[in-house]
Each structure stands twice: as C-alpha cells, then as structure tokens.
Amino acid sequence: MSDKKLFNDYFKELHAVARQGDAREESFYAALSGMLKKVADATGRNHIHVTTLPKSTDAGNPDFRLWNGRDRIVGYIEAKKPTEERLDLIEESEQLKRYRATFPNLVLTNFFEFRLYRNGERIQTILAARPFVLTRLQTSPVVEKADDLHALLERFFDFSLPKTFTAESLAVELARRTRFLRDVVGQQLADETDSPGFLTGFFEAFQTYLIGTLTPEDFADLFAQTITYGLFAARTRAGDDFSRRAAFDSVPHTIGVLRDLFRFISFGDLSTQLAWCVDDIAEALAVADTAGILDRYYHEGKGSDPIVHFYETFLACYDPAERERRGVYYTPEPVVSYIVRSLHGILKTDFDMRDGLASDGVTLLDPAAGTMTFIARAAELAVTEFETKYGKGGRADFIRRHILRNFYAFELMMAPYAVGHLKMSFFLEELGHRLADNERVPFYLTNTLDNEELEQSHLPGFSALAEESRLAGVVKKQTPILVILGNPPYSGHSSNTGDWIRGLIEDYKQVDGEPLGERNPKYLQDDYVKFLRFAQWKIERAGHGVIGMITNHGYLDNPTFRGMRQSLMQTFDDIYILDLHGNSLKKETCPDGSPDKNVFDIRAGVTIAFFIRRGGKPKSDAVMYYADMYGSRESKYERLNAHNRANTDWSELKPASPFYLFIPRDSTDEKTFYSWIGMTELFPVNSTGIKTHRDHFVLDFDRDTLLRRIDQFRNPGLTDDFIS
C-alpha cells in the first residue's frame, strides 16, 4: 500500500464519518488512530501503540498518546474538529500553551493540518488536504502532500528523550510534567465531589489531621510534588527497567505513607489522565542517570547536600516563587554546621558525654525537619566521631543501633518528607550503610504541635498516616529527648491553633506572676514560638537536655515576649544567644553604617540560641550569654564555619524585670527612667491606630462597581455567601 493510498483511505474514512450527519470531534478519532498505526507499522515501528483518550474534561491530557505499550512514551496528539480551521488561535490558547510547555513531542491537528512541536516550539506544519472539501463540498478530500505528511509523522515517531541529562535539564523536564500533573490532580479532585475516591480520601485525611487550612489547590500541589520526588527516590534505588509500576518495589517497605501512595500510583485504578501524567514523569526518570547526577552534585562542588540542592534546582523550575521562600526547606550549611558542632561540644563539656553525638544515651529530635538537613549533618558528625575513636569496623552496627534508633525527626509537609527520606537513604549509603527493606530512619509525617494521635479510618491511604501518628506519638509523649535542634518555620499567621499547644503558650502570657496585660499578644502565636515552647516542654519532661535552634530574633527584645523570656530563664541553666541580625524590616545596618545582610533570603532577622538544662536546676534564673554578627552574608558564613559555641566571643547579660531583655542594654539611668510616670498611666485610653482592612471590598477604581457593592452589602435580603 503506497503512502498516498493510505492517506487517501484515511480521508475517505473521515468523509464516511462526516456523512452520518451527527459526527462530533471524537467521532473522527478512530480514523486518525488507525492511520497513525498503519504508518507506524508500514515504517517498521510495530512497537508503537496508539491510545485514545475520550475527552471528559478540558483539564485532561491531549487526545492521543503514542507509546510502546509499557514504559516508553513517543508523543502526544491534540485533535480539534475538522471544521476548526483557526489553528493559529488554538495554538495560543491556554490549553495548548500548557500542553506545549509540558510535552516535548506534540502534534496539533484538525485531521487535515498537522503541526509538530518540539519542546514547545512549532518546527513543522503540513496541510495534507483541504478541509472545505469535506466540510462544505461534502465530498472525500484528496491527499495533496502525502510525502510531507509521511515525513512529519516519521519525525514525530522518532522522538525520544535524551539519554543523558544534566541536573538542570532533568529538573526542567520534571518541573513541567509536575505542573501538568498538579492541574490534573486538581481537576480529578473536583470531579470526585459526588463520588469520593482515593484522592478525596488523602485530601480529607491531610486536611482533617495534619493541615487544617489545606485547600484543594494546595493539596494538588503537595500531591504532585510528592509523586515526582517519590518517583525520583524510587529511581535512585531501581534498576534499568524503571516505570510507574516498578516504582512501588523501590519504596522502602517501612515508609507506610509513601508505600500507600505508590501502591495506588503503581497498581490502583487511576484515571487515564492521571496515569498518563505519572507515566510521563516515570519515563523521563527512566532514561536519567539519577545516581550519577547526585554523585556529581556531591563530588563536584555543589556541597554536601546533593538531594536538597537538586530539589532546589527543581523548585527553581517548578515554582520560582516557592524557590524564593526556600527557608521552609533549606537551611544554609554554615548555620547547620555551627549549630550541630556546638551541640556536639556541649554534650561533651556540659553533660560529660565524651563522644558527643555518638555517645550512648543521646537521643535527638528535629521537630520541623523539612528535608532532614540537620539530622543528616548530626549523623555525619556522630559517625565521624565514632570512626575516629573506635575505627571503621563497627560503623554499620553503630548506624543501626544508634542513628536509626535515636535520631528522630518530624515533618508536616509531604514533599519535604519524601525528599528527606531520599536524602537520608543517600547519606547513609555515603556513610557506609544501605537501608534494608525492614529499616527506616525514624522520620515521621506528623504535626509536631498537635498532641492527639489519629484514629483509624476507612479513608483510603489513612491507615499508614495513622501509624505514622502513632510512632510519632511515642516520641512526643514517652521518649526522653536529650537534644532538640533545627530551623522551625516562621509564620505570624499560624494555622497551628490546637488546644494543646495554645495551652502551653498560655505560660508565656505571665510575667513576675502577673498577666502580661496586653490586649492582643498575637506575636506569641508565631509558629517558631510554638516550636520553641514544644522543645522547652520536652526538655522539662526529660529533666535535662539542650536545645539548639535558629529562629526569628523578634523574641529577644519585643515587649510581648517578656513572659516567654522569663519562662526560658526559669527553665534552663545557661542560655546562649548569637544574634545574626539581618532584619531588613527594621533596616538594620552594621555598627559602622555599612549594609547588614541576612543569612537567609528572608526579611526577618534571625538568631541562633542554645538552651542548656543539666538537671537538678536550683531556683535561680539562667546565666545569659550574648554575641552577635553583622556584615555580609558571606562574612557571616565564614565566621560560622570557623566557630562554635566554645570559641564564640560571648558577653554575659543580666536580664531583669520587667522586660528580661535578651540583648545588651545600657541600664545606667534605668532607675531615673522608671521613676517617671509611665506612658500607659499617662494615656490610659489607647488603640493601635488607624488601619485599613478588607481593601478588596471597600476600594475600587470604578465608582459604579463600588456603589453596587455597597448596596449589596446593605441589602438584608442577600445571603453572606452571595456577598462573599
């Protein structure tokens, strides 16, 4: 059969469909699918399968997928009805822009004109026959450019992903596929409104028991990122024959939440759209040398944290705005190093544990672990200490009995949770121990600030979540913790509003035995304050221990925190404050007037603090030590790398009532100052001043719109839902 006859037969079949009089776009699919398969077979490409997707939603995938029937995707085809001759407009539609940004090998067609796109750019266009012959003359068109159409299809069939990826090019491929997956998950979640399925179960479980403010959009983003990085994690452990279905076997058996998720992804009843998206991501990973990419990150100057550095690269492509907020995920290595090395030394000098973090009896917890940066550094330092003193022979046993039993971590967000497990698997292998199928790092998906365990439920994927909660609950309530460290999140508008943590925060609303007397002590509800309070509570329960954290530095001198400062002084023996400044909100500068920079990409200034309780504390306030660092970010990193708690130049402070300030203060004229009448006594009636709220409602550039809005607001016959 010649190509020309094959294509003429195709157009005759289109004509036969059109003659029926009630043909829709989907009615022509069989003709196109058959033609594609015949061309593939005729050119020796028998492995190519053509799968047609009936279009149920506008958010779905393109109409056709060409693949090998198992694990390799050739490309996608988006079809429009034969009467649609304005493909220039279609090409610039939001749908096609999304497809072009996602699928590197794509054809747009109205069954007559074929446009081939590579990596979003149109590289070839063929008008094979005249649409008006079918649509207006109502007769069978004659193929005019059989050779050109044949060449375009062969070019389309021959596409394959590159056999080698750099970290950057792989991040680009994963990011654009993940964005598309996010959209499909969001649409499917909406479609499950009347008939809840697996996605609804996971969403409800996360919303009810982990993140109360989680929206469907947030969940779709969380789910998509977790799938991509979970597949990435599985790929690092899998052989050459990698696919969506093979991923499940490479997820450690002991990480139940990820196992449940990938059981569904690998073997569950996925919608066609969702399956296609996941297969696309898996194929990009199948041809990538993920282990080699991580190895190059590790050994070629990207730092000692290749998993997180690759995640940073991925985020920069996937969501640049989230990349700018990366403090949620990533703490600079000099900060981590300073804190971990200092804690190692404090255990030796203050707790008589000669092996520091490697000592028997050391239990450690990062309550907001993110991607496990602190735990990885602590594990590395503990293993180095052990090997230096006792040799390499017992290293594997040391990791099993000490690191995997005593180094705990909690995380609330699932994407960093997946990244963190991947990172620890990688790091432990670098340290000489490959996790067995029955082993896991005690890193749990849980809300640290909620002390209630989850009930078992019928919701899909929920049993593993409940088991994570149970294991985390044992650590929260029963396991004595000696060392608590990390970089908790900073959020003035905290969504952690549970009764348990709010009850603990009430202790900070007292000073010198009296209430603070502030009408709105809202800053005490910031997440970092709650994490510090949690850490204080754990050390109090254990009777002794040390906290090493980097947080917002607002609590050092803000009057609202005076009860918090006094509470910390009454709990601990020694407190060390290293103020790193960098507060652009306060326009901080160096003492000489030169610019002062933050160690993070954030505006709030930060501080490193160590709180030490040795046990048997006498009834006296803690001894306070203070130091600070000004300057460029690079200079601060250099000084942090060169110092630890032991060789930092500390000055002693004497915090006193009523403010108990954790910063130096000239108190020479303090008695004279307090002899005068206070401002609150002088002006007993006060307010916080004039503020604007709900600007989106009360402001508008159009007078008629604003008047209509006010009239609706005043109308008692309209419901609140309508007004909102």
Side-chain angles (χ1 to χ4, degrees), residues 313-360:
T313 305
F314 166 76
L315 277 181
C317 300
Y318 173 72
D319 187 345
E322 186 169 346
R323 170 64 173 77
E324 290 302 314
R325 299 189 298 269
R326 68 188 174 94
V328 173
Y329 298 103
Y330 180 63
T331 309
E333 291 175 20
V335 172
V336 178
S337 176
Y338 179 90
I339 292 174
V340 172
R341 286 183 290 106
S342 295
L343 291 170
H344 186 56
I346 287 169
L347 289 174
K348 293 181 177 182
T349 59
D350 291 60
F351 292 87
D352 198 27
M353 293 184 150
R354 64 178 187 175
D355 296 336
L357 290 167
S359 300
D360 290 338

Side-chain angles (χ1 to χ4, degrees), residues 267-404:
F267 307 112
D269 185 19
L270 274 67
S271 70
T272 308
Q273 292 102 327
L274 189 57
W276 284 18
C277 288
V278 179
D279 282 339
D280 235 11
I281 295 169
E283 192 203 356
L285 288 166
V287 300
D289 179 17
T290 53
I293 287 172
L294 294 180
D295 186 67
R296 286 189 290 276
Y297 261 109
Y298 190 74
H299 294 291
E300 295 179 8
K302 289 290 185 181
S304 60
D305 208 343
I307 303 296
V308 171
H309 279 291
F310 181 75
Y311 188 51
E312 293 276 287
T313 305
F314 166 76
L315 277 181
C317 300
Y318 173 72
D319 187 345
E322 186 169 346
R323 170 64 173 77
E324 290 302 314
R325 299 189 298 269
R326 68 188 174 94
V328 173
Y329 298 103
Y330 180 63
T331 309
E333 291 175 20
V335 172
V336 178
S337 176
Y338 179 90
I339 292 174
V340 172
R341 286 183 290 106
S342 295
L343 291 170
H344 186 56
I346 287 169
L347 289 174
K348 293 181 177 182
T349 59
D350 291 60
F351 292 87
D352 198 27
M353 293 184 150
R354 64 178 187 175
D355 296 336
L357 290 167
S359 300
D360 290 338
V362 169
T363 51
L364 178 147
L365 170 66
D366 186 341
T371 53
M372 294 286 275
T373 302
F374 281 90
I375 297 292
R377 185 73 177 92
E380 183 179 43
L381 188 54
V383 170
T384 299
E385 179 80 13
F386 178 86
E387 286 186 352
T388 301
K389 291 185 175 178
Y390 307 106
K392 296 184 178 181
R395 178 176 58 187
D397 179 66
F398 171 76
I399 291 173
R400 277 193 298 269
R401 67 176 172 79
H402 188 60
I403 305 298
L404 297 183

Side-chain angles (χ1 to χ4, degrees), residues 36-48:
L36 293 169
K37 182 59 178 169
K38 288 174 185 176
V39 174
D41 290 346
T43 56
R45 299 175 175 86
N46 301 57
H47 65 282
I48 290 181

